[in-house]
Amino acid sequence: MNILQTEDTICAIATAQGGAIGTIRVSGPEAITLTDRIFKPVSGKPLAERAPYTLTFGHILSPEGEIIDEVLVSLFRAPHSYTGQDSTEISCHGSSYILQQVMQLLIRQGCRAAGPGEYTQRAFLNGKMDLSQAEAVADLIASTSAATHRMAMNQMRGGFSRELAVLRDKLLHLTSLMELELDFSDHEELEFADRSELEDIARQIEQVIHHLVDTFSVGNALKNGVPVAIVGETNAGKSTLLNALLNEERAIVSDIHGTTRDVIEDTMNLGGITFRFIDTAGIRETTDTIESLGIERSFQKLDQADIVLWVIDTTCAEEQYRQLADKILPRCEGKHLVIVLNKADLLSSDDVDTAASTDVQLTSLKAALPDLPEDACVLSLSAKQKEGLSQLQKQLVDFAALPDLSQNDVVVSNIRHYEALSRALEAIHRVQDGLAMQLSGDLVSQDLRECLYHLGEIVGGTIETDEVLGNIFKHFCVGK
């Protein structure tokens, strides 16, 4: 899709298949004219002569005059529409046959089928929203919880953009002071701002950008789910635990060692928080090439996780711990570690009870293995019997500790925004260093301009290439 083709008139089905009502959106210079060619109002004037923001009841007619459907047509005139162009929305009955017939009639009259995200892309190109707001539209459609909905709604309403606008104003003020210093550098008697004032402004800017960068860990967890890696030896019960948590047979369970040879991921909602569980290949010494690749991926996923569930067969807990401690523990630094003593149902009947057995196992592990992390949580459960899962689920929610968000909270959840902010943060750090080292104004100004550039990337002020915009909008659904 070429972003410059904004003068085409486009059409697309904007509703999901199977509903009682289906909507077709038409946008472009000839949207009203082309809709008029296939639509006949039951009474009154054609669409071209009607006022905007009105609904008109009538029929969609085939070239032979046959009635395809009774419909309602909404009318919008540029620039007061979603795309900023003349637009119509045709509300039909939800039959896929009817919708396809209407689409074909529009295309025969001169419309072009819209590409993914082309309506929102036109809204951006026509100044109806900036790029961060446009991307929030996709996030709003994909929101699956109250938190992700609030994040997307705040961004779409311009909360993030306003935060960036304040930053931009401060940067421009700092830049103007530096430029004045350069312009009048030969007038020693003139002083527009001392370096301490410039350093204070730069510090304020750095703090705001740093805060926005720090929110990404929360935003990413809310948007994509808190990553939880399930690791351990083969046949410790990792896949059984995943199936028990998800309450479905998501992973193959077998007594054969090494059944899971690749990572399996799925999500579920606990306490209003989305968790992304990652079942990994069992870690053991093997000469099997495919299994070795799976084990390597296990370690990669472990590194990426925020929470690690190390599943250990409770009947041989100390042995399994010793075998993998040097491989797993170093990778768990800075993460929440839960040691899951699985297969509690196989404990001998001589054990007093499950809770006492857990205490015995934990005491035994700590006594025999003094390198057991102090902050590691140890739980006993039976994944097969689905016993003890509630305690594990509660622990996961406690470890996630995600804040409650309001629609006024600015949280970064888009990786493109995070990368741009990170580059802006590096630039402002160079500005601070330059001011501290009394570098010349032209060197400091260059870093200031770079910081402004990276912030501009987020809202689209510096985006000019078809390739970049095309990459952003190609992930939207058709009709939006």
Side-chain angles (χ1 to χ4, degrees):
M1 176 180 60
N2 187 329
I3 66 166
L4 299 179
Q5 293 178 340
T6 56
E7 294 308 306
D8 293 350
T9 297
I10 55 174
C11 60
I13 299 171
T15 47
Q17 186 174 356
I21 301 297
T23 301
I24 293 174
R25 308 179 82 179
V26 187
S27 179
E30 296 186 273
I32 300 172
T33 301
L34 297 184
T35 305
D36 254 336
R37 292 178 185 173
I38 67 168
F39 172 72
K40 184 178 181 180
V42 169
S43 62
K45 299 173 289 187
L47 294 174
E49 299 176 19
R50 291 179 183 262
Y53 321 118
T54 56
L55 283 173
T56 303
F57 176 68
H59 300 122
I60 297 293
L61 301 176
S62 71
E64 295 75 29
E66 178 185 355
I67 296 177
I68 304 297
D69 196 15
E70 293 183 342
V71 302
L72 282 172
V73 177
S74 308
L75 180 64
F76 307 90
R77 295 190 184 276
H80 306 294
S81 70
Y82 180 77
T83 60
Q85 300 176 311
D86 284 349
S87 302
T88 62
E89 292 185 0
I90 306 171
S91 296
C92 316
H93 291 94
S95 159
S96 59
Y97 171 78
I98 291 173
L99 291 168
Q100 290 301 328
Q101 287 294 305
V102 177
M103 282 289 293
Q104 289 177 27
L105 289 173
L106 287 167
I107 291 171
R108 285 177 194 159
Q109 295 300 326
C111 280
R112 170 174 63 81
E118 192 166 359
Y119 292 91
T120 305
Q121 185 186 84
R122 289 188 176 201
F124 163 68
L125 292 172
N126 290 324
K128 302 298 291 184
M129 58 181 70
D130 65 37
L131 197 54
S132 70
Q133 291 173 293
E135 289 170 298
V137 173
D139 288 342
L140 187 65
I141 294 170
S143 61
T144 57
S145 67
T148 53
H149 173 266
R150 290 191 191 105
M151 275 198 309
M153 184 60 71
N154 173 268
Q155 186 173 323
M156 194 175 75
R157 292 168 60 205
F160 188 29
S161 301
R162 286 190 293 273
E163 190 86 12
L164 293 176
V166 172
L167 267 177
R168 184 174 180 274
D169 288 343
K170 288 183 178 180
L171 276 165
L172 288 174
H173 177 58
L174 183 54
T175 303
S176 64
L177 291 174
M178 295 301 302
E179 297 291 346
L180 282 171
E181 182 181 283
L182 285 172
D183 291 341
F184 295 93
S185 58
D186 54 339
H187 296 269
E188 295 182 1
E189 72 279 5
L190 295 178
E191 184 177 295
F192 297 94
D194 59 31
R195 286 293 172 119
S196 62
E197 181 183 349
L198 297 176
E199 288 173 358
D200 183 59
I201 297 172
R203 189 183 307 111
Q204 294 174 28
I205 295 168
E206 189 273 341
Q207 288 174 350
V208 175
I209 298 178
H210 196 282
H211 169 71
L212 290 173
V213 169
D214 284 347
T215 65
F216 179 70
S217 58
V218 172
N220 188 51
L222 289 171
K223 182 178 178 179
N224 300 311
V226 178
V228 181
I230 306 175
V231 301
E233 281 200 24
T234 57
N235 263 28
K238 299 182 300 301
S239 296
T240 305
L241 179 60
L242 175 68
N243 291 341
L245 286 167
L246 299 176
N247 201 30
E248 63 174 286
E249 297 301 310
R250 182 67 176 81
I252 297 174
V253 176
S254 168
D255 292 332
I256 302 172
H257 287 265
T259 302
T260 302
R261 296 192 170 200
D262 201 354
V263 295
I264 299 173
E265 298 190 24
D266 212 334
T267 60
M268 72 172 299
N269 191 288
L270 294 173
I273 301 170
T274 300
F275 290 88
R276 179 160 46 90
F277 292 103
I278 309 162
D279 181 24
T280 64
I283 301 171
R284 65 168 178 167
E285 296 295 330
T286 180
T287 57
D288 186 295
T289 303
I290 302 300
E291 189 177 353
S292 295
L293 289 173
I295 293 171
E296 179 58 34
R297 290 188 181 182
S298 297
F299 287 122
Q300 292 173 1
K301 293 299 181 180
L302 193 159
D303 292 338
Q304 298 167 11
D306 290 342
I307 302 174
V308 177
L309 302 184
W310 180 2
V311 182
I312 295 177
D313 186 335
T314 194
T315 61
C316 52
E318 291 185 19
E319 177 186 349
Q320 288 198 0
Y321 186 95
R322 291 178 187 275
Q323 289 176 345
L324 295 183
D326 61 335
K327 295 183 176 67
I328 291 179
L329 291 182
R331 296 172 181 265
C332 291
E333 292 184 9
K335 305 178 187 296
H336 295 293
L337 172 62
V338 182
I339 295 178
V340 179
L341 298 175
N342 190 29
K343 305 185 181 181
D345 54 309
L346 298 183
L347 291 173
S348 66
S349 57
D350 295 334
D351 290 317
V352 180
D353 56 38
T354 301
S357 298
T358 304
D359 293 337
V360 170
Q361 288 281 357
L362 179 55
T363 303
S364 175
L365 277 172
K366 286 188 173 181
L369 306 165
D371 59 339
L372 182 69
E374 287 294 327
D375 56 351
C377 174
V378 182
L379 299 175
S380 178
L381 56 80
S382 170
K384 184 177 181 180
Q385 302 299 328
K386 297 185 178 181
E387 296 174 353
L389 290 180
S390 59
Q391 187 179 0
L392 174 58
Q393 292 171 343
K394 181 180 182 302
Q395 189 63 64
L396 289 170
V397 173
D398 290 344
F399 276 158
L402 296 178
D404 292 329
L405 299 179
S406 71
Q407 285 192 357
N408 296 321
D409 292 322
V410 177
V411 177
V412 177
S413 62
N414 185 304
I415 185 64
R416 190 183 70 83
H417 301 169
Y418 171 73
E419 291 174 348
L421 284 167
S422 297
R423 290 191 290 268
L425 185 61
E426 292 172 3
I428 200 65
H429 281 159
R430 290 195 297 273
V431 170
Q432 290 178 296
D433 292 341
L435 291 172
M437 293 186 292
Q438 298 293 312
L439 293 182
S440 65
D442 56 341
L443 294 175
V444 177
S445 291
Q446 176 58 37
D447 289 323
L448 280 171
R449 284 190 289 270
E450 188 173 333
C451 187
L452 275 167
Y453 173 83
H454 292 309
L455 293 180
E457 285 183 305
I458 297 172
V459 295
T462 58
I463 298 291
E464 296 177 352
T465 66
D466 287 13
E467 182 180 358
V468 175
L469 284 178
N471 184 60
I472 291 170
F473 288 103
K474 72 181 182 182
H475 300 294
F476 279 57
C477 55
V478 173
K480 197 62 183 179

